[in-house]
Amino acid sequence: MITKQITALENLKQFENYSGDEKAKESNWPDLIPFSEYSGLPDFPIEALDGIGQQMVKTIAEVAQVDSGLPGGLYLGILSAACHFNINLISHTEKSNLYLNIIAPPGERKSFVESILSKPIYEFQGERTSEMSEIIRAATTKRKLMESRFNNAIKKAAAEEDAKKVEKITEDANLLYKELCNNPVPTEPTYIVDDITSEKLGVEMAQNGERMAIISSEGGIFQLMAGYYHQKDANLDLYLKGYSGDPWSCGRIGRCTQKMEHPTLTIAVCSQPNLLCDLGRNKNFSGRGLLARFLFVVCRPQAGYRQRQLKFIPDYLTQQYHNHVINLLKMSSGAVFKLSADAQSVWAEFYNDVEIEMRPGASLEPIKDWGSKLPGAVARIAGLLHAAEGKGMEPIGASSVAAAAALGGYFKEHAMAAFRIMGQNKDIKSARKILEFIQRQNPGKFTGRDVLRHSFLTSMADVEPAIEILLRHNYLREVGGEYCGKGRPTALSYVVNPKLYKRENH
């Protein structure tokens, strides 16, 4: 409060030195600082990635002329889909899977980027399906014969009147049934899907080692989570437990019960900003902690600022990337990585910094549930970077954790922007309403009460934080107070940066 009063006094003294005409001079004002969802957001730290991943992300961003966060975020999703291990942090264990939501408007070449990065997994999936086809065919034939023998035994037992013979046939039938249960027909291997309902996802994961990756250039999975097709409440249990690896089961009337001990799900999808707003309005998503599990990337729109696409991705790099992902897919799953002593120190420092940022008035306080999961996400990223470097079962080093922490700082800033888009922070919307009032009324000087009288804002609790944003971004200056009547305190007044009008005129 004292600082605010000193700042207001300094502004007032500065303006008292100007004549009325001079106060409107542009030269007396700093440039406007935009406060859109994209203003001030850091670039994706490509240098934090491993060699081949770094080259691929950088090249795709240049060739496709997209925000580097698009290929960068999707690449981390590919690493998450390809790897399966745990990270021992002493205090607890984190899994290696990630949830990522990359926000980009239409026309940002999301499909092009996603198809390039996910291609090795689809090819690996196709090769494994071809290898399994003969095994599946033989197992299907064997099962049909066993089922026929079992059914014949049941019919024979039902027709037999001799109790001893019935007992012997029943024993044989039970042995056949046990053999049937112990010899299920293998399913076609599935590692990655694009569009899948929650119910089908549970079945596919249970049949594929309790693992699955949803990687898509569209955000339709969120509609499926919300029960879009059945007009019912959101079915989020599998998505919540698929992140943390908690046991999951689903039993429905007329269906076999599906169970998983340690489900592991990867999600890396691209959403349009309007879908992000829908997510913010869904109380199930925010109230049950689903959104807190996601790392967000808010891409700067590039459409309209690109040149004709003439560059291409070199074949040698595509092949190196393909081999890189395939090697990770073939890596033994279920391993437990430890952090070196130095890495533990780096991670603990990041953890402590995040805790401070969640205190009242700090940057992560409005999204504390998201912030509480950020250190764990950084540990997961560190494990993925370690695996991508091909260091085997060596302890995760301090350099991997430091690189992951740099990515964590990036995701922190982008998460705050994403939650602003979702409406979790309404101050920017209120600031825009004040700008609309200024452009409509063109006031020489105004107070917060003037805003209430001439805008759709309804309380000073909405006006004051919005004015603070406009002050920080050089749209306004405080110029002292106005007398508000007997017994009332002096109200602060504000003048408008004339560069705002010049920008609007242009």
Side-chain angles (χ1 to χ4, degrees):
M1 186 68 181
I2 294 173
T3 303
K4 183 176 178 181
Q5 290 173 344
I6 293 173
T7 302
L9 182 61
E10 289 176 348
N11 285 336
L12 179 59
K13 289 179 178 178
Q14 181 181 2
F15 266 73
E16 284 174 345
N17 294 327
Y18 301 149
S19 66
D21 292 336
E22 287 175 326
K23 289 181 183 179
K25 287 182 179 179
E26 291 182 32
S27 59
N28 295 330
W29 286 82
D31 291 334
L32 299 172
I33 301 174
F35 61 93
S36 70
E37 292 84 355
Y38 311 102
S39 61
L41 288 179
D43 293 329
F44 186 89
I46 299 177
E47 64 281 358
L49 302 177
D50 65 288
I52 295 173
Q54 182 184 118
Q55 293 177 50
M56 196 66 176
V57 168
K58 184 177 180 180
T59 301
I60 291 175
E62 290 177 354
V63 169
Q65 301 177 66
V66 297
D67 186 303
S68 57
L70 175 56
L74 284 172
Y75 172 68
L76 289 175
I78 295 298
L79 291 183
S80 172
C83 300
H84 182 218
F85 52 82
N86 297 303
I87 303 101
N88 185 351
L89 296 170
I90 301 178
S91 58
H92 68 286
T93 299
E94 289 284 347
K95 297 180 73 67
S96 60
N97 56 309
L98 299 174
Y99 286 7
L100 297 119
N101 189 0
I102 301 157
I103 299 99
E108 293 299 315
R109 297 172 176 165
K110 299 183 288 291
S111 296
F112 174 77
V113 174
E114 183 273 327
S115 63
I116 292 172
L117 289 169
S118 62
K119 186 177 180 181
I121 300 183
Y122 279 109
E123 289 182 350
F124 183 78
Q125 181 171 282
E127 291 171 2
R128 292 284 292 121
T129 298
S130 297
E131 293 170 2
M132 290 290 295
S133 60
E134 187 58 40
I135 298 173
I136 293 172
R137 192 159 40 243
T140 301
T141 301
K142 180 181 178 180
R143 185 172 183 84
K144 286 181 178 179
L145 291 172
M146 291 169 60
E147 288 175 344
S148 179
R149 289 169 58 198
F150 175 75
N151 292 330
N152 288 335
I154 295 297
K155 291 178 182 178
K156 189 176 179 180
E160 182 60 59
E161 295 182 357
D162 188 312
K164 290 186 177 180
K165 291 183 178 180
V166 170
E167 185 177 353
K168 179 65 172 66
I169 296 170
T170 301
E171 289 178 1
D172 292 341
N174 286 335
L175 290 174
L176 286 169
Y177 181 77
K178 186 177 180 180
E179 190 174 357
L180 278 169
C181 293
N182 292 334
N183 291 275
V185 176
T187 57
E188 290 187 353
T190 304
Y191 300 90
I192 183 172
V193 293
D194 184 339
D195 187 17
I196 189 169
T197 63
S198 302
E199 291 78 7
K200 181 64 174 175
L201 177 62
V203 172
E204 289 290 332
M205 289 181 68
Q207 294 177 347
N208 286 273
E210 302 189 352
R211 291 176 59 192
M212 192 61 59
I214 301 171
I215 299 180
S216 176
S217 59
E218 301 294 338
I221 187 63
F222 292 112
Q223 292 180 321
L224 297 175
M225 288 181 188
Y228 177 76
Y229 286 136
H230 304 293
Q231 298 298 313
K232 60 185 180 182
D233 290 336
N235 183 9
L236 303 182
D237 282 354
L238 179 54
Y239 303 100
L240 297 173
K241 295 179 178 180
Y243 181 84
S244 56
D246 296 331
W248 172 88
S249 65
C250 180
R252 299 285 176 85
I253 296 175
R255 302 181 189 176
C256 295
T257 299
Q258 297 287 340
K259 293 183 179 180
M260 288 186 280
E261 293 298 320
H262 302 288
T264 303
L265 180 62
T266 288
I267 302 177
V269 296
C270 303
S271 298
Q272 295 183 14
N274 60 343
L275 178 57
L276 195 61
C277 294
D278 293 339
L279 297 182
R281 287 192 289 267
N282 191 313
K283 294 181 179 179
N284 282 317
F285 287 175
S286 57
R288 296 189 61 189
L290 179 67
L291 296 180
R293 287 161 165 78
F294 275 88
L295 299 173
F296 293 92
V297 176
V298 180
C299 296
R300 290 186 184 86
Q302 302 297 313
Y305 300 92
R306 303 173 298 208
Q307 301 296 321
R308 182 186 173 191
Q309 190 171 342
L310 296 175
K311 295 182 180 180
F312 60 91
I313 302 171
D315 291 340
Y316 77 86
L317 182 57
T318 301
Q319 188 60 50
Q320 287 180 352
Y321 172 72
H322 178 275
N323 296 340
H324 170 61
V325 175
I326 297 301
N327 289 337
L328 290 173
L329 284 163
K330 291 180 178 179
M331 187 176 67
S332 59
S333 63
V336 178
F337 287 105
K338 295 182 179 180
L339 272 62
S340 69
D342 289 343
Q344 284 280 4
S345 297
V346 175
W347 185 78
E349 183 178 357
F350 182 85
Y351 179 95
N352 292 334
D353 288 344
V354 171
E355 280 293 311
I356 293 171
E357 287 301 305
M358 291 191 292
R359 292 176 181 175
S363 61
L364 289 177
E365 192 248 343
I367 51 171
K368 194 178 294 185
D369 57 340
W370 185 90
S372 65
K373 295 189 181 299
L374 179 56
V378 163
R380 295 178 182 219
I381 294 171
L384 292 173
L385 297 179
H386 176 84
E389 292 175 5
K391 293 184 177 179
M393 290 305 300
E394 293 180 23
I396 298 171
S399 60
S400 295
V401 177
L407 286 162
Y410 167 87
F411 285 122
K412 170 199 161 185
E413 297 297 327
H414 282 248
M416 291 191 293
F419 280 98
R420 286 197 297 268
I421 296 172
M422 282 187 273
Q424 300 286 337
N425 184 344
K426 62 181 181 179
D427 295 343
I428 282 184
K429 291 182 179 179
S430 298
R432 288 201 181 100
K433 290 184 182 298
I434 294 176
L435 287 180
E436 291 172 4
F437 150 71
I438 291 170
Q439 291 153 8
R440 188 173 60 250
Q441 299 289 332
N442 193 17
K445 185 167 62 173
F446 67 92
T447 67
R449 297 291 173 187
D450 294 327
V451 173
L452 286 179
R453 285 192 291 269
H454 298 285
S455 74
F456 292 104
L457 300 178
T458 57
S459 72
M460 290 302 293
D462 295 327
V463 171
E464 289 174 352
I467 285 179
E468 286 295 326
I469 290 175
L470 295 174
L471 288 169
R472 289 198 305 269
H473 291 79
N474 300 332
Y475 285 78
L476 305 176
R477 272 180 176 161
E478 293 177 355
V479 291
E482 287 187 349
Y483 183 63
C484 297
K486 186 176 181 180
R488 293 188 179 184
T490 302
L492 288 171
S493 296
Y494 308 93
V495 292
V496 181
N497 188 335
K499 293 181 180 180
L500 173 64
Y501 299 115
K502 182 177 181 180
R503 189 185 69 170
E504 293 301 321
N505 291 333
H506 281 270

